[in-house]
Amino acid sequence: MPLPSAADLFSTQEERDNESRESVREIPLEEISDFPNHPFKVKMDESMADMAESVKQYGVLVPALVREKPEGGYEMIAGHRRKMASELAEKKEIPCIVRNLTDDEAIIIMVDSNLQREQILPSEKAFAYKMKLAAMNRQGQRTDLTSVPLGQKLGKTSRELLAEKSPDSNTQIQRYIRLTELITPILDMVDSGKIAIRPAVELSYLPKEQQTVLLDTMQLEDCTPSHAQAIKMRKFADEGRLNEDVILSILSEEKGNQKEQFRMPKERISKYFSPGTPAKQMEDTIVKALELYRKRERGKDRER
């Protein structure tokens, strides 16, 4: 007699019966709305254009996952990019699995289905982790998103349980969630690689008004704070002594590892990289390309 699977042990007979009845349906695109506050951006980029061309030729090979809405129609859980590609391919319908899910179950599946992508912006992870952790907390744990709530049965915190099924550690998840406290323009700078995550976390503790002052100063001085400078700003803010003059003074300090910088407008090189590629990865790729170019030129010199 075969042993029962983990799914059999932790699911009810009704849930197993429902899953066995699931089948793929062709659902009109106009009947499917996006998931509320979907944290993952669906962009019209080269990758999307390739996906749309594939859908045009072969159709959607992996069905999307949706749930029925009380007022009628369906809500997308997993498959936002496939839906957009289908629209671009001028398809009228998309294959879907319809599943009966609670709000929190839908959030967890939506986040998990996207976290495995190769390229995810820090802001996407930030809001995704925040949504999933809140859903986990509502399922029986405390609701403080950045503290350490007690696990219900396993003796673990909710972040530890989240980290076990995520590509990031418990500590890194906490850092990402802190980024949701940044004003949008500064969070955009984190996404573009202008500000690293650790200094950004420190800046997230500044009141929104002081973040706005910091943003204006960074733009005026064309600079961003180091981790040490961000820590110093947070300390002044906690003491109630952070203002425009103090921010300017801190940003004007020479950084410990400060070196002469070579700058190039991002728009000159962005077409050679996928959207969302971190600045450090762009820099490493450019350096490798220059090394290959130098080797090739030296080879030509030897042949002359």
Side-chain angles (χ1 to χ4, degrees):
M1 179 177 178
L3 293 174
S5 67
D8 291 333
L9 289 173
F10 296 103
S11 62
T12 65
Q13 183 61 48
E14 181 182 2
E15 288 172 338
R16 291 195 293 273
D17 290 343
N18 286 338
E19 289 183 4
S20 67
R21 287 195 297 266
E22 286 182 350
S23 59
V24 178
R25 307 184 203 169
E26 292 289 338
I27 297 178
L29 294 171
E30 60 186 17
E31 294 184 15
I32 306 174
S33 60
D34 291 341
F35 194 90
N37 300 314
H38 189 248
F40 298 95
K41 300 176 175 64
V42 180
K43 300 177 182 178
M44 183 56 242
D45 53 18
E46 184 177 349
S47 175
M48 177 57 68
D50 291 342
M51 181 182 287
E53 184 60 31
S54 175
V55 169
K56 184 178 294 186
Q57 292 186 43
Y58 309 109
V60 174
L61 302 180
V62 179
L65 178 65
V66 300
R67 65 172 179 167
E68 292 187 57
K69 297 194 296 185
E71 66 274 21
Y74 301 86
E75 182 178 276
M76 183 66 76
I77 306 299
H80 290 77
R81 284 172 52 80
R82 280 164 278 173
K83 179 189 173 190
M84 183 176 184
S86 297
E87 291 171 346
L88 293 171
E90 300 181 344
K91 299 288 185 179
K92 301 299 181 183
E93 298 178 326
I94 182 173
C96 298
I97 294 174
V98 181
R99 185 170 296 172
N100 184 22
L101 298 167
T102 66
D103 290 345
D104 291 334
E105 289 170 342
I107 287 172
I108 290 171
I109 292 175
M110 179 274 296
V111 172
D112 288 347
S113 67
N114 282 277
L115 281 178
Q116 306 308 317
R117 284 164 34 192
E118 290 184 9
Q119 294 183 346
I120 306 178
L121 295 174
S123 64
E124 294 177 320
K125 278 192 175 185
F127 286 102
Y129 280 139
K130 184 174 183 177
M131 289 177 71
K132 181 175 179 180
L133 194 53
M136 293 172 64
N137 288 329
R138 284 193 297 269
Q139 290 181 332
Q141 300 174 348
R142 295 184 194 171
T143 56
D144 184 355
L145 296 177
T146 54
S147 68
V148 283
L150 297 174
Q152 274 187 310
K153 298 179 179 179
L154 303 179
K156 298 180 180 180
T157 69
S158 56
R159 278 206 316 272
E160 288 172 337
L161 295 174
L162 175 55
E164 288 179 356
K165 297 184 178 181
S166 305
D168 296 295
S169 67
N170 183 347
T171 301
Q172 191 68 357
I173 287 172
Q174 184 178 14
R175 290 182 182 134
Y176 275 119
I177 291 176
R178 277 303 316 177
L179 298 182
T180 64
E181 301 298 325
L182 291 170
I183 61 175
T184 301
I186 293 182
L187 185 54
D188 289 342
M189 296 176 77
V190 179
D191 279 345
S192 65
K194 293 180 181 178
I195 300 179
I197 289 179
R198 296 196 68 180
V201 168
E202 300 298 330
L203 299 179
S204 74
Y205 288 94
L206 304 184
K208 297 294 191 291
E209 299 79 9
Q210 293 179 345
Q211 290 187 39
T212 301
V213 174
L214 169 62
L215 175 66
D216 293 340
T217 307
M218 288 191 294
Q219 292 174 337
L220 184 65
E221 299 297 318
D222 192 22
C223 64
T224 57
S226 65
H227 189 207
Q229 290 171 331
I231 292 174
K232 187 176 292 187
M233 289 184 200
R234 177 182 174 184
K235 182 174 183 295
F236 273 89
D238 290 343
E239 296 171 353
R241 297 192 293 143
L242 188 67
N243 55 39
E244 185 176 358
D245 292 336
V246 173
I247 290 174
L248 178 59
S249 175
I250 293 174
L251 287 176
S252 299
E253 296 173 355
E254 183 174 342
K255 300 176 185 177
N257 61 347
Q258 196 168 40
K259 299 178 181 178
E260 183 179 358
Q261 299 290 316
F262 172 76
R263 296 183 179 181
M264 178 183 295
K266 189 175 180 181
E267 55 268 19
R268 289 195 63 188
I269 60 174
S270 59
K271 64 181 179 180
Y272 300 108
F273 297 91
S274 301
T277 303
K280 181 65 168 59
Q281 185 177 336
M282 289 185 178
E283 179 184 331
D284 292 343
T285 301
I286 291 172
V287 170
K288 289 179 182 178
L290 289 172
E291 289 174 349
L292 290 173
Y293 175 77
R294 184 173 62 179
K295 289 179 181 179
R296 188 179 69 179
E297 291 302 305
R298 286 177 175 174
K300 290 181 179 178
D301 290 340
R302 295 192 192 99
E303 294 174 359
R304 291 170 184 164

